[in-house]
């Protein structure tokens, strides 16, 4: 159920409880329903300030918890209960594993490994893979665009977007303009900008641009250029032999396009310009990431992209439905090509399919203890991806720390506000005491007021945090022993997270309102009316 509907249901339930229960509480109901409601409305600036504080604090907690829940769902969705992951002994991650084919070729013939029912020869359901991480510089349009506060067209000096207040916008450049000169030097390509930016890096220069055929110029302050946090990115590449069988082993399917061919390459161009490109199958997440490089929502079959320092381009053969798993951030290509290009000719991983979780555990134990040709580390996929939750635990501890710090600040702020409110309402307290209300009853009134504000602020904070449900974010998951995977996760706001947000608000309301409420009980009626 979507978080919005959960919050609406919770709010409706709360209103029903207030409408039905409070009037039945006699003097308590009258006191709470009339006196506190009146004071909340009359002192609306303080009420709004407290609601804003609760909303901000609870919203932060909900968003951070949704990030952790997204990581947990990602690792859980990546494993198949019947799969066994085989690495070389001592490897903490498949990035560091090296398996020689001759030494481990018998692994897939184990009697507990299932056979492919769709294959006429009944081949084992085994995926032989090499996993590498490629360090790739960001494309020039991305680097220059971020520094200048704009977006370039594909392999063009024409601007498709100019950010308001950015360096180029201050120079008078608008979307649709084409850059023509830099400090009086003509520009022919983005590479020219890179070379010129490496020269003079401070001061003011003249920049030329073309708008509707007219040559214009402006002044660009190089001191205003935006500094990049990073100019390179890490891409995860998985080389496989049989893409159809690997998809079946990992329970994945193509959503568009086709698998790469046996050779793993495809010809493009005509005549003397005819070349070959390496075919690749992309996860949906990495397809969107690479698509943004060429101003597209996502790469599609037939689109080309570069990978690492390889001079040979890659071409998209298909996109697999990998959302909700670590494979969403991976590029799959032919093993023999990937291994040769990125310096890892051996295999790093063998993924075997057993009949179920019990058989998978038995298979992993037998391969680890009894396989004689090579020392192996076999574990179920469920166990392997659970170990990657080390990152989740670190995030969770950080969130708990932030929640405690935020909570302490909220408690102190609410306590200060309630003390101030009591000091302004001393005569009200005196009148209530003379009318017959006891000290505990006055205490309940002020405590109820604090809790009511906490509930309202908590609901608003949960609603604000729930907006992030379904949003994507980049992160890294790791077992904490090296390695790890860069992933695209989907933030998830569910019922437990919303309840945690409400619990945070109620705890702050209770702790922040209790001491001022107790203090109100010690005010003497006659002294209060002086």
């Amino acid at each position: 159920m979507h978080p919005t509907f959960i919050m609406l249901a919770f709010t409706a339930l709360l209103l029903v409880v207030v409408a039905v229960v409070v009037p039945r509480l006699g003097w308590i109901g009258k006191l709470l329903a009339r006196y506190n409601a009146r004071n909340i409305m009359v002192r609306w600036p303080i009420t709004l300030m407290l609601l804003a504080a609760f909303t901000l604090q609870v919203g932060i907690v909900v968003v951070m918890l949704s990030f952790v829940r997204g990581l947990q769902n990602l690792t859980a969705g990546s494993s198949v209960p019947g799969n066994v992951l085989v690495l070389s002994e001592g490897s903490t991650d498949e990035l560091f594993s090296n398996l020689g084919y001759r030494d481990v070729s018998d692994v897939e013939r184990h009697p507990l490994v299932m056979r492919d029912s769709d294959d006429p020869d009944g081949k084992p359901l085994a995926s032989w893979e090499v996993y590498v991480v490629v360090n790739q510089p960001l494309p020039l349009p991305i680097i220059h665009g971020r520094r200048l506060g704009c977006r370039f067209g594909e392999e063009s000096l024409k601007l498709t977007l100019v950010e308001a207040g950015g360096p180029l916008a201050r120079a008078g450049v608008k979307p649709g303009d084409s850059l023509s000169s830099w400090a009086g030097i003509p520009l022919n390509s983005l590479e020219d900008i890179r070379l010129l930016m490496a020269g003079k890096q401070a001061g003011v220069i003249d920049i030329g641009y073309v708008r509707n055929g007219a040559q214009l110029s402006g002044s660009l302050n190089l001191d205003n250029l935006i500094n990049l946090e990073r100019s390179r990115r890490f891409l995860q590449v998985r080389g496989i032999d049989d893409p159809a069988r690997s998809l079946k082993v990992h329970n994945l399917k193509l959503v568009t396009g086709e698998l790469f061919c046996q050779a793993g390459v495809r010809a493009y161009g005509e005549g003397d310009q005819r070349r070959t490109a390496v075919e690749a199958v992309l996860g949906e997440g990495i397809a969107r990431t690479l698509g943004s490089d060429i101003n597209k929502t996502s790469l599609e079959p037939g689109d080309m992209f570069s990978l690492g320092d390889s001079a040979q381009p890659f071409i998209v053969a298909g996109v697999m439905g990998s959302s909700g798993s670590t494979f969403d951030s991976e590029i799959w290509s032919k093993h023999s090509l990937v291994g040769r290009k990125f310096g890892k000719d051996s295999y790093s991983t063998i993924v075997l399919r057993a009949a179920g979780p019990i058989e998978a555990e038995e298979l992993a134990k037998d391969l680890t203890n009894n396989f004689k040709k090579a020392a192996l580390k076999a574990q179920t996929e469920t166990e392997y991806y659970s170990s990657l939750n080390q990152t989740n635990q670190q995030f969770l501890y950080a969130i708990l720390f932030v929640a405690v710090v935020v909570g302490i600040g909220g408690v102190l702020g609410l306590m200060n506000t309630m003390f101030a409110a009591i000091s302004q309402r001393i005569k009200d307290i005196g009148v209530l005491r003379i009318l017959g209300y006891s000290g505990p009853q006055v205490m309940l009134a002020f405590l109820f007021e604090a809790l009511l504000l906490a509930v309202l602020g908590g609901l608003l904070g949960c609603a604000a945090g729930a907006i992030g449900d379904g949003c994507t974010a980049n992160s890294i998951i790791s077992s904490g022993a090296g390695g790890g995977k860069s992933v695209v996760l989907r933030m998830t706001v569910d019922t437990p997270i919303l309840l945690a947000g409400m619990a945070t608000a109620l705890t702050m309301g209770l702790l922040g309102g209790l001491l001022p409420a107790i203090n109100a009980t010690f005010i003497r009626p006659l002294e209060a009316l002086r």
Side-chain angles (χ1 to χ4, degrees), residues 170-188:
R170 297 180 187 180
V173 182
K174 297 181 179 180
D177 295 348
S178 296
L179 300 184
S180 58
S181 66
W182 184 281
I185 301 174
L187 294 175
N188 297 310

Side-chain angles (χ1 to χ4, degrees), residues 52-64:
F54 276 115
T55 300
L56 179 62
Q57 293 163 352
V58 173
I60 291 174
V61 172
V62 170
V63 169
M64 295 179 71

